[in-house]
Amino acid sequence: MNTRDDRENSAKAETPRRDFIREIIDEHNRTGRFGQRVHTRFPPEPNGYLHIGHAKSICLNYGLAEEYGGKFNLRMDDTNPEKEETEYVNSIIEDVRWLGAGWVGMREDDPRAGVLWASNYFDQMYEFAIEAIKKGRAYVCDLTAEEVSRTRGTLTTPGQESPYRNRSVEENLELFERMRRGEVPDGTKTLRAKIDMAHPNLNMRDPVMYRIVHATHHNTGDRWCIYPMYDWAHGFEDSLEGITHSICTLEFENHRPLYDWFIEIINEGRTDDGSGPWGKKIHHPQQIEFARLNLTYTVMSKRRLLQLVKEGYVRGWDDPRMPTISGMRRRGFTPEAIREFCRRIGVSKVESTVDVALLEHCVREHLNKICPRVMGVLRPLKLIIDNYPPGQVEWMEAVNNPEDPAAGTRKVPFARELYIEQDDFREVPPPKYWRLHPGNEVRLRYAYFVKCTGCDKDPQTGEITAVHATYDPATRGGDAPDGRKVKTTLHWVSAQHALPVEVRLYDHLFTKPDPNDVSDDAIRAAESGGSAEVQAVEAAAAGKDWKSNLNPKSLETLEAAYVEPSVADAVPGARYQFERLGYFCVDPDSGGPGASGRRLVFNRTVTLKDEWAKIAKKQ
RNA sequence: UGGGGAUUGGUGUAACGGUAGCACGACUGACUCUGGAUCAGUUAGUCCAGGUUCGAAUCCUGGAUCCCCAGCCA
């Protein structure tokens, strides 16, 4: 029931948590660093599908803009023509929209409206590169990739300067122009920043700014054959858009000095009023790094997710077992649940792994409030009410959602032959088993008390084929006039009215909280002796990697489940609670209502908490 | 043995020199026409060693451990 507590909780849920990023922004607002302006962005590279880790970033960035009355941009970071695809662009836009983040210029009628592209700034970046050359801050280098790598030095020793480092401005300009015109083959020249080959931060050892790639870009076609590197491009993308807080993950912390350096060298000879020789200063955003999200029992890297898709371990990017936004959507998660999850995990600089149980908790919490209840039987067992008149059908009134009186009621058909869950009958009940067993009386939800009289078995296999019971007509609706109680209530469906459906049960994709943990294998390897390193090597040699921890039971398909007839016209995406079992969502594989030969397919989103399962597990 | 980060219950996250709190999990119990939901409660933590202070998770010194960086990827 909705109570005052619920309202307080939901009010609490909308309260943003405090975190170090909000503190930095508050400080900027106190000092007036950005004139009280907050402008964030989400800048994905369109080379994969978005996952729950991206959701954290989206919620953070969009949430910040919302809270501070600022703006939020969605920008495709498409600086590498060889990796990026339109399929990914489309999925990213759909996912950000579904999550509920609204970017500047977003429109209902055109998914791409307002979406920004790094590639739109290629001209400006090229101008900046020329400026850097003219300022003596960049040079064209003829070293091959291998040579650059070799002369970079190591973590503890300085690199060597390129022999092309001191070319004249004129020569650099000329060569860069030839690179741009396509006169130079891939890999033979780069434009490099002239910084310091002895810098302790490797990113500052004359990093490459432009490489030559004769490839067709999904957005700019064949207009360019030189493409900016991330480090050169990213800061300008943010600068040009007036981003105030460039929020990114921890691994870019080492890049911040370079990000700042590039903007500063462009600002050399520029002034606030534009009177400098190079004109007006460009905007300098503040980069802030936070820890990316890790979740137990799954993997999050694009490379690995791609591998799962390509190698057929899952059915696609939107497989309901995937931690992708599209997978979670298909599974039945709600944007509200994901947003609440992102709020609860907070933001910090500590690398951490969040228990997937928290995500599941957030999903249950929301689904409990919004899902209509329905009865469905996953593993059917025939229950025959021997004293119920054959051919009689009663339509029992059932509550649609006890959490929401406004959801109303519906009628569910009851008859002599029903299906109940196989788990709900035991010929020999274990301790604390309250469900149906010979001699025991239970309630059938919204119907009658029934008392078990026995069961039929296959004489060959001993398998239970049907359960018999008698009902008490005085308990119609589910209450006994004499005040007697039963210990439990079972869900059921009328055999003649039951809708046959397919149900897909999902479990964690991996069997271990940390899929990288191949320690069992290492232990086995240790039996042959050897140090930890030797064990690791042996485990690897035995082909044991993260994929060996894939859960073979992550998908279980039930072909012969039944649900009550009221859901016959459910549309793909519709969510229900199957009472006592969990939350289920209609899969797109079902086809639309009224489609010929339609057979509903349900995905199990998440189970209900199951006290009995815990007891049974202990026994 | 270079540089950059980080370290609070099982997990995640607060506390900004003044009672170590919240959430998830786990465990009790109450209630219940979902063994659901709800409610009440229990459990369990400041990486280590010194120092400053009336008082330290917080400040100082030293140490330990973990993560990131040697792509013409982002």
Side-chain angles (χ1 to χ4, degrees):
Chain A
M1 287 295 141
N2 283 317
T3 63
R4 185 172 50 86
D5 290 335
D6 281 342
R7 285 192 298 275
E8 282 176 1
N9 285 338
S10 65
K12 200 170 103 192
E14 284 157 20
T15 309
R17 295 178 66 128
R18 297 306 306 167
D19 55 62
F20 79 103
I21 294 179
R22 278 168 246 257
E23 284 183 6
I24 291 170
I25 293 175
D26 288 345
E27 180 61 17
H28 288 158
N29 284 344
R30 269 193 294 277
T31 61
R33 164 115 177 243
F34 297 113
Q36 319 303 310
R37 217 161 52 79
V38 172
H39 196 159
T40 58
R41 103 263 101 129
F42 176 63
E45 183 189 15
N47 70 342
Y49 278 61
L50 262 28
H51 53 62
I52 182 80
H54 295 111
K56 176 182 179 182
S57 176
I58 293 163
C59 291
L60 208 211
N61 280 291
Y62 176 68
L64 252 17
E66 224 182 10
E67 283 160 50
Y68 287 90
K71 293 176 180 173
F72 169 77
N73 288 357
L74 174 59
R75 177 176 72 229
M76 300 296 160
D77 202 358
D78 56 348
T79 56
N80 186 342
E82 294 182 308
K83 285 190 173 180
E84 295 141 13
E85 293 174 25
T86 302
E87 177 197 351
Y88 298 130
V89 169
N90 294 337
S91 72
I92 288 168
I93 291 172
E94 184 184 5
D95 290 348
V96 174
R97 189 180 281 270
W98 180 77
L99 268 180
W103 58 85
V104 175
M106 179 173 161
R107 276 212 322 265
E108 283 307 313
D109 59 337
D110 175 8
R112 293 205 176 200
V115 176
L116 301 168
W117 308 82
S119 52
N120 282 164
Y121 312 131
F122 282 172
D123 286 285
Q124 180 62 255
M125 290 175 195
Y126 177 74
E127 293 303 318
F128 284 146
I130 289 186
E131 185 172 332
I133 292 171
K134 288 180 176 169
K135 287 173 170 173
R137 298 297 197 174
Y139 63 96
V140 173
C141 180
D142 296 6
L143 258 28
T144 64
E146 191 273 326
E147 288 166 329
V148 168
S149 170
R150 186 147 36 80
T151 55
R152 185 152 20 227
T154 71
L155 296 176
T156 50
T157 59
Q160 297 140 41
E161 295 188 349
S162 163
Y164 307 99
R165 198 171 198 260
N166 295 311
R167 294 218 249 228
S168 68
V169 168
E170 293 67 30
E171 188 182 5
N172 281 322
L173 252 16
E174 164 69 19
L175 291 172
F176 189 48
E177 172 62 12
R178 288 181 49 204
M179 283 167 63
R180 203 215 87 222
R181 284 204 304 256
E183 296 172 14
V184 185
D186 289 10
T188 57
K189 282 183 176 23
T190 56
L191 184 71
R192 292 226 261 166
K194 192 194 270 193
I195 308 179
D196 179 1
M197 288 307 292
H199 199 108
N201 180 344
L202 265 37
N203 295 126
M204 303 296 274
R205 319 244 261 228
D206 290 13
V208 172
M209 296 159 60
Y210 273 93
R211 78 284 214 183
I212 301 169
V213 183
H214 285 84
T216 302
H217 187 281
H218 74 103
N219 211 21
T220 60
D222 294 319
R223 176 168 156 71
W224 296 94
C225 62
I226 56 172
Y227 289 92
M229 298 289 293
Y230 170 87
D231 283 318
W232 173 252
H234 202 82
F236 294 126
E237 294 163 23
D238 290 336
S239 174
L240 263 11
E241 292 176 12
I243 300 303
T244 53
H245 303 272
S246 306
I247 297 167
C248 62
T249 44
L250 252 27
E251 70 270 25
F252 293 103
E253 212 153 13
N254 292 330
H255 296 244
R256 177 159 27 103
L258 182 53
Y259 178 110
D260 290 337
W261 189 90
F262 281 137
I263 288 175
E264 279 160 19
I265 61 137
I266 291 305
N267 275 337
E268 283 172 2
R270 291 172 181 256
T271 55
D272 288 330
D273 61 2
S275 63
W278 293 96
K280 200 170 188 298
K281 277 196 174 179
I282 62 169
H283 170 67
H284 192 157
Q286 175 67 54
Q287 177 174 301
I288 303 170
E289 309 84 13
F290 72 98
R292 61 162 11 105
L293 172 65
N294 297 295
L295 258 194
T296 55
Y297 296 103
T298 193
V299 292
M300 211 73 95
S301 86
K302 276 189 199 172
R303 204 193 93 250
R304 286 182 172 184
L305 294 177
L306 179 65
Q307 208 174 335
L308 291 175
V309 172
K310 285 262 157 79
E311 296 176 12
Y313 293 103
V314 295
R315 294 177 177 178
W317 285 98
D318 69 343
D319 186 299
R321 292 167 289 181
M322 292 281 272
T324 51
I325 310 277
S326 51
M328 295 187 298
R329 177 169 58 234
R330 187 167 181 177
R331 173 95 169 235
F333 288 18
T334 61
E336 291 91 338
I338 293 170
R339 277 189 244 125
E340 173 61 11
F341 170 72
C342 290
R343 192 190 69 81
R344 289 204 200 187
I345 59 175
V347 184
S348 77
K349 299 193 70 151
V350 188
E351 283 167 85
S352 55
T353 302
V354 176
D355 192 336
V356 73
L358 178 60
L359 213 209
E360 290 165 355
H361 168 83
C362 293
V363 171
R364 284 190 191 100
E365 184 178 59
H366 187 226
L367 261 20
N368 177 47
K369 285 184 191 140
I370 63 166
C371 283
R373 271 61 170 174
V374 115
M375 289 195 282
V377 173
L378 266 29
R379 296 177 175 86
L381 174 60
K382 185 72 75 73
L383 173 66
I384 301 164
I385 317 291
D386 290 304
N387 63 339
Y388 193 83
Q392 179 173 313
V393 175
E394 289 180 273
W395 290 79
M396 316 306 278
E397 185 168 53
V399 173
N400 286 332
N401 186 349
E403 302 289 323
D404 178 15
T409 60
R410 68 186 185 286
K411 299 282 191 184
V412 185
F414 183 86
R416 187 170 187 267
E417 294 202 0
L418 312 169
Y419 290 114
I420 61 169
E421 210 67 57
Q422 287 170 18
D423 275 353
D424 286 341
F425 172 78
R426 290 291 173 85
E427 194 177 14
V428 183
K432 292 187 183 168
Y433 187 87
W434 304 338
R435 280 115 92 142
L436 215 52
H437 57 265
N440 193 38
E441 187 174 51
V442 301
R443 174 167 38 232
L444 295 177
R445 183 84 155 146
Y446 300 124
Y448 293 100
F449 283 14
V450 294
K451 191 171 203 169
C452 182
T453 52
C455 62
D456 301 335
K457 285 199 246 181
D458 184 303
Q460 246 73 53
T461 63
E463 188 193 349
I464 295 163
T465 53
V467 177
H468 290 269
T470 55
Y471 84 118
D472 176 357
T475 59
R476 190 179 196 281
D479 283 304
D482 62 5
R484 78 181 188 278
K485 300 287 182 193
V486 288
K487 200 80 168 119
T488 196
T489 301
L490 306 187
H491 61 276
W492 51 272
V493 295
S494 160
Q496 61 174 295
H497 301 89
L499 212 59
V501 298
E502 175 180 326
V503 175
R504 297 173 185 168
L505 305 180
Y506 300 103
D507 195 359
H508 299 144
L509 236 194
F510 291 86
T511 55
K512 292 182 182 172
D514 175 9
N516 284 322
D517 177 11
V518 288
S519 56
D520 289 354
D521 306 300
I523 289 164
R524 247 173 268 130
E527 287 166 7
S528 58
S531 66
E533 286 109 58
V534 171
Q535 290 163 29
V537 168
E538 286 180 19
K544 298 298 182 184
D545 62 358
W546 60 283
K547 281 187 286 181
S548 69
N549 287 325
L550 243 7
N551 180 3
K553 294 176 185 152
S554 60
L555 168 63
E556 183 180 3
T557 303
L558 303 177
E559 303 280 359
Y562 293 109
V563 296
E564 63 172 71
S566 70
V567 301
D569 293 326
V571 296
R575 305 181 184 92
Y576 297 91
Q577 184 196 101
F578 289 5
E579 292 214 37
R580 302 209 301 138
L581 296 173
Y583 297 95
F584 293 79
C585 176
V586 179
D587 191 86
D589 285 353
S590 305
S596 65
R598 182 179 202 229
R599 186 178 183 233
L600 284 168
V601 176
F602 283 95
N603 293 316
R604 184 174 67 194
T605 309
V606 64
T607 60
L608 249 24
K609 282 204 222 159
D610 189 347
E611 197 74 18
W612 167 245
K614 280 185 191 174
I615 297 168
K617 203 175 171 184
K618 282 181 200 161
Q619 295 172 353

